[in-house]
Amino acid sequence: MLQNFNRFDRRILSFPAVHPCEGISPVTLLGSLIALSISILGYQSKSYPTQKRNARETLRQIGILLIFFEEIQDRRSVLPDSVVLCFSELHLAFQKLQFLLEDCSREGARLWILMKSQFVATQFRVLIRAVATALEVLPLNWIDVTSEVKELVELVAKQARKARFDLDPNDECAAKDVIWILNQFEKRIEPDMSVVKRVLDYLEIRSWSECNKEIRFMEELSLECNEREVTLLNSLMGLMSYCRGVMFEEIECRGTDQTEGRCSVEMLSCLNPEDFRCPISLELMTDPVTVSTGQTYDRSSIQKWLRAGNIICPKTGEKLINKELVPNSALRKLIQQFCEDHGVSLAKTENGNTARTIAVNSPAAAEATRFLSKFLARRLVCGTGGQKNKAAYEIRLLAKSSVFNRCCLIEAGTVPPLLNLLSSTDAPTQENAIAAIMKLSKHSKGKKVIMDSGGLKLILKVLKAGPRLESRQIAAATLFYLASVDKYQALIGETPEAIPSLVELIKTGTTIGKKHAVVAIFGLLLCRENCPRVLAAGTVPLLVHLLASSVKEDLVPDLLAALAKLSEHIDGSVAILKASGLPLITRILQSSPSRSGKEYCVSILLSLCINGSIEVTADLAKDPTLMTSLYSLVTEGTSHGSKKACSLLKIIHKFLETDSSGLRSSQVLQERFLRVR
């Protein structure tokens, strides 16, 4: 009877209550009302920074009604239909009141509830009026309870009808203070700290972690709101980020984000953002799914297409074998990473059917970020050791949010002092500094400032000898971003310790660390001069071994991408063959669920045929199942992958033709292969 909604399933200040069914047993309904009342009264112990009076009055009235319900249950009274109808209406109102009290006492939502205080007060008034209406028509004379309890119920009904449940004047005053602070930011004036502190004290936000919870909550909420609300949310997030960095000196809890800095070869491949748009709606996909033809659409769009009675693929016109929609989690991660790196947020439109990108900064948030960036830059230069560490950590968090934040931090001059902290003997400080540098290296200006300030040497020092494995792994991710600039690829590769240190991390790092090192090497291989250096470091046998033993599916495409780049060189192809990579690559081609992985396999096999001996082609020609995989890629692969598969098929067919006619001159075949290429 009671509906249990996970806090992440229900948007704040929404009330998805369920009306009891018509044929419900009076005993069941009464039992559910008692359980619901007890659950609501559990919110008496919660803190209510806002809506104090409204919450207190609501809980008092429900406490009295619980006595009424329990006495009916104890007396086992028979309830007529008219009473059941009234109790059903009470049950519906109680569900909504529980959601409302949960939201008012929710950690991290204090500032948002304050700014919605007028709406919240109205909801209290509407719901208590609904309780009053149900009690007024309740036939108390037909219910077997004591006269004292009846009097209490009648009193609650009168009080519920007369209770004002207006906006608390203190809440209104605090909300006006917030608006004043935001207006000051918009005018490019740093607000009076006493007013900022007054708001934080009123909301009982007294620590760094409580402030951080407010930011995290609003970040999540911004994905669900319309554009008008997102503008306000961004302003409030800017205010809370400013408060977190400026108002609080101590960080009580600090967890390492294991996904921080995670990167992949696809991110270096300059993916076209148009690939992230649904072919039906032409909007950015928030929930990409793949249909039986292999094409990907946004879930809401393809579901609407199917509900309309269509049985063909919108893009190809092929008949759909089934209506199964398979989540494309890899593409979803890429879209999320793209949005994070380019300063956009995914949000649904008001009708909930499509998705669009929206700007993440409001004028107030922009100016708050600029003030905060300058404050953090000063702390990095003039602060104590602890203050410098805290400033680096704030930059680490702030630079994760958007391109705009990174730009503000770079322009404020945070990069040079952060680079100085890479030489710190304090391991947490060094880790926060390298993580902040990695975030800033995603920005084109950040890359330039890092390299112009001599940052490469310091980053490589952390990669080679950082006291923490996490720091070394983040340093590898930083090299990955720096290697996205052509002129830096050669500079990094020429530095003697760069490639050997990355190879060492492949051996000793966690799965994420290995991934960072592999994709950094891939980035360096985009410069042809780096290939001999990578080969000389013994990279190929290590990559092949890791590929053969890898149980992490998301690591496989990156390993294959690096091997594909190496195989383009004759020495690289020879090294792969010596490491017994041919049968492994063939097996992965036929078994990998990843299309990109399959295409990298084809690239490797094609290079091995061109750069290797005739025996390579002969081995491939002996495998009849290989042809099926290649033909599948020809029809279902990307344009690039399809061309590679066609070229490999031509080579194998030419070999089979010449083999059957007895013409197997290696020199002639090699010339033909080069022409096919």
Side-chain angles (χ1 to χ4, degrees), residues 342-361:
H342 291 79
V344 295
S345 174
L346 291 176
K348 293 188 175 181
T349 56
E350 293 183 8
N351 59 21
N353 291 328
T354 60
R356 65 188 186 280
T357 56
I358 54 177
V360 297
N361 277 297

Side-chain angles (χ1 to χ4, degrees), residues 167-234:
L167 174 62
D168 190 312
N170 292 327
D171 290 354
E172 185 178 14
C173 183
K176 287 180 178 179
D177 280 345
V178 173
I179 296 298
W180 179 84
I181 293 169
L182 297 180
N183 287 336
Q184 290 294 98
F185 278 131
E186 285 194 23
K187 296 174 184 176
R188 301 185 178 182
I189 301 172
E190 197 159 10
D192 186 339
M193 290 296 102
S194 64
V195 180
V196 176
K197 187 176 186 304
R198 186 166 68 214
V199 170
L200 294 176
D201 288 343
Y202 185 78
L203 294 174
E204 300 175 14
I205 299 174
R206 300 191 177 99
S207 67
W208 185 96
S209 61
E210 288 176 341
C211 194
N212 193 49
K213 286 176 184 177
E214 297 287 318
I215 298 169
R216 295 289 295 272
F217 163 76
M218 287 187 283
E219 285 175 344
E220 293 173 5
L221 183 61
S222 66
L223 299 177
E224 307 170 5
C225 292
N226 59 45
E227 193 165 352
R228 181 176 54 82
E229 285 187 321
V230 166
T231 301
L232 174 60
L233 274 170
N234 285 324

Side-chain angles (χ1 to χ4, degrees), residues 369-429:
T369 301
R370 289 191 179 99
F371 280 119
L372 176 58
S373 298
K374 293 173 184 176
F375 174 85
L376 295 174
R378 292 194 298 269
R379 277 294 171 91
L380 288 174
V381 175
C382 305
T384 64
Q387 289 173 337
K388 289 179 180 180
N389 181 31
K390 199 254 184 182
Y393 187 67
E394 290 290 345
I395 294 171
R396 179 180 184 174
L397 294 179
L398 196 62
K400 187 177 181 179
S401 302
S402 72
V403 174
F404 179 81
N405 288 358
R406 292 172 201 144
C407 185
C408 287
L409 290 163
I410 294 164
E411 290 176 351
T414 60
V415 171
L418 281 172
L419 289 172
N420 292 336
L421 290 182
L422 296 185
S423 301
S424 173
T425 56
D426 180 62
T429 298

